[in-house]
Amino acid sequence: MIVCPRCAKENQDHYKFCLGCGAELPRDAAHAPKSFTAPTPPAIAAPLPPAPPMGGPPMAAPPMAAPPMAAPPMAAPPMAAPPMAGAGASDQVVCPQCGTSNNRSFKFCGSCGHPIAGSAPAFAPAAAAPPVTGGSRRGSLVLIGADGSEGESFPLGETTVIGREIGGVFASDSYLSPRHATLSFSNVGLTVRDEGSLNGVYLKIGVDQPIELVDRSVFRIGQEIIRFERISAPAAGEVELMGSPSAGIAGRICLITGRTATGNCFCVPSTGLHLGRERGDILFPEDGYVSGLHGRIHEEAGRVFLTDVGSSNGTFIRLMAPTIVPSGGLLLMGQQLFRAEY
């Protein structure tokens, strides 16, 4: 783990920026990224031990209702430094551009760089919930707190835009784009559309309900953001790049560690592999939000599927096209988790 010298938050070794404050993490030899190993068993392996109960893995890990997972560190703009101990409301001001709290002595916002001289004091009453547009209220987004409790409820009309420009609780989330997503109702339900956001919109998939992965599909387990890539068979007469046949390989998965950077990549055999913190073929031992045995990737009839095998904190798939969200479905946008109700 790398301890941020700015805010003292612990970060995983392959992160370049702090999840707590956005500061660049030290990259000296003592904190060099550790190599991930993939202890893939033989093709014919003994069955895996039964998965831990839904209440959580055997190791000390966050409860079922884990705090919303942070988006990839590369996408976050720098955040303002935390206020000094003992600072009160009179010592803080709110940036009129992004809503971030700053020390009154600052001339510019530490998050967006906007001048803050003469801005309103911090801790002012929160802005109103996003307005219901395009008709009467049709449903709501319920904010899920870090402890799993229900927070504010935001009304949804025929069409509702979510993003930092809306204000309120959205304004202070630096992982949200100004115009992040649009939710709209039709005769088939609630549709969510990503408006080209930097960090994306993620939908939690059901347990033991396989979802197909296509080339460059992105999903996340715990704090790990992973991209699946298909490996195309070479054309007739074409020299294969790796110098070895790809028979029996369904593709590969790569860890996303930066805006344009990836970490280790692992082949996905057609027979499938398991992901977890303690058991499986690819392990993430330092991520407490990953269950002991979390998910599985396998190929069937030429198609590749991702399955959550009963993890505590769930598996989320990034939406690449407008998608119907069922009532009760969980959406991860920015650093916040919402339940759609209608």
Side-chain angles (χ1 to χ4, degrees):
M1 303 295 284
I2 302 177
V3 177
C4 175
R6 182 175 180 181
C7 68
K9 179 178 179 61
E10 292 186 346
N11 297 267
Q12 293 192 46
D13 290 335
H14 61 279
Y15 286 170
K16 296 181 180 179
F17 298 91
C18 178
L19 291 179
C21 68
E24 185 173 0
L25 297 172
R27 308 308 303 173
D28 53 33
H31 299 97
K34 296 180 181 178
S35 298
F36 283 89
T37 57
T40 305
I44 303 177
L48 291 169
M54 288 294 291
M59 290 181 60
M64 176 69 179
M69 296 171 289
M74 69 287 182
M79 297 178 65
M84 295 184 295
S90 60
D91 298 323
Q92 301 289 303
V93 291
V94 172
C95 172
Q97 177 75 14
C98 68
T100 301
S101 177
N102 294 268
N103 192 290
R104 182 173 292 279
S105 62
F106 292 177
K107 294 183 179 180
F108 299 93
C109 176
S111 178
C112 68
H114 189 276
I116 59 175
S119 300
F123 311 109
V132 173
T133 59
S136 60
R137 176 171 177 156
R138 293 285 304 273
S140 60
L141 279 182
V142 179
L143 180 64
I144 306 300
D147 59 355
S149 61
E150 295 185 2
E152 298 179 64
S153 179
F154 304 95
L156 296 176
E158 293 292 337
T159 302
T160 306
V161 176
I162 300 297
R164 279 206 323 271
E165 66 182 22
I166 300 302
V169 68
F170 304 108
S172 59
D173 190 342
S174 58
Y175 290 92
L176 281 175
S177 296
R179 189 181 180 92
H180 198 95
T182 298
L183 291 84
S184 56
F185 284 93
S186 66
N187 57 353
V188 294
L190 177 64
T191 298
V192 59
R193 181 178 70 248
D194 190 325
E195 295 291 354
S197 66
L198 183 59
N199 290 316
V201 177
Y202 290 81
L203 175 66
K204 185 178 181 181
I205 67 176
V207 176
D208 293 326
Q209 297 179 16
I211 183 169
E212 184 175 4
L213 296 177
V214 298
D215 185 38
R216 303 192 71 78
S217 289
V218 175
F219 63 94
R220 64 185 303 159
I221 61 173
Q223 293 182 322
E224 314 304 323
I225 300 177
I226 303 171
R227 182 176 64 239
F228 170 75
E229 299 175 355
R230 270 288 197 179
I231 299 179
S232 303
E238 182 180 351
V239 176
E240 198 157 351
L241 294 178
M242 298 302 294
S244 58
S246 59
I249 301 298
R252 69 176 185 175
I253 55 175
C254 297
L255 301 178
I256 299 177
T257 59
R259 184 176 300 182
T260 59
T262 56
N264 289 29
C265 294
F266 307 99
C267 287
V268 178
S270 299
T271 52
L273 56 77
H274 284 82
L275 308 172
R277 193 180 74 248
E278 299 172 327
R279 294 176 288 134
D281 305 302
I282 299 177
L283 304 180
F284 304 95
E286 297 180 356
D287 191 334
Y289 295 103
V290 175
S291 291
L293 185 64
H294 199 106
R296 178 180 181 232
I297 302 175
H298 74 284
E299 185 177 34
E300 185 175 331
R303 301 163 65 189
V304 178
F305 295 90
L306 169 68
T307 306
D308 186 298
V309 297
S311 68
S312 297
N313 294 315
T315 301
F316 292 77
I317 186 78
R318 182 167 182 171
L319 303 182
M320 308 305 293
T323 303
I324 300 295
V325 179
S327 183
L330 294 177
L331 288 171
L332 180 63
M333 296 182 285
Q335 289 182 302
Q336 300 173 91
L337 187 65
F338 299 93
R339 185 177 68 246
E341 293 185 349
Y342 60 94

